[in-house]
Amino acid sequence: MRHKVSGRKFDRSTAHRTAMYRNLVQSLMGCEKIVTTEAKAKEVRIMAEKMITLGKKGDLSARRRALAFIYDEAIVNKVFEDIAKRYSERNGGYTRITKMASRLGDGASMAQLELV
């Protein structure tokens, strides 16, 4: 699944940014809660909701598209079997961003991204 990596650049190359997004989405789906910067949380939310929507479709094509973005097959199985069933009645809005205190090192605004 080719995702157009648009939006914030984070001073990273396209490949690095794509890998970062994939890792954050995978962590979110695995743990169902991550703490990251507010800007990254806003970008990752978009991709995470697309993965849950693919899980709700549930067909082979959707599973292959999800596996093209998330490389861990166990996480994809969790999305399709557990998370998608949890949100079967919900039309979008699967995630919540909660702002937290600034990071001590550089003062970056932090946020918690979690599945509702």
Side-chain angles (χ1 to χ4, degrees), residues 40-107:
K40 286 179 192 172
K42 287 179 179 179
E43 291 295 320
V44 168
R45 172 182 53 188
I46 298 165
M47 296 168 198
E49 296 207 2
K50 286 181 183 177
M51 291 298 116
I52 295 172
T53 303
L54 286 175
K56 285 174 65 174
K57 284 185 181 178
D59 58 351
L60 181 61
S61 174
R63 186 174 288 268
R64 285 180 176 163
R65 288 174 62 195
L67 279 167
F69 189 75
I70 301 173
Y71 291 137
D72 190 352
E73 194 170 334
I75 300 292
V76 173
N77 287 337
K78 181 179 179 181
V79 170
F80 275 72
E81 293 167 10
D82 298 336
I83 297 174
K85 288 182 180 143
R86 191 184 322 165
Y87 298 119
S88 62
E89 299 296 319
R90 192 177 185 111
N91 295 325
Y94 313 118
T95 58
R96 173 188 302 134
I97 295 178
T98 308
K99 294 182 182 182
M100 300 174 68
S102 297
R103 188 163 51 198
L104 291 177
D106 59 356

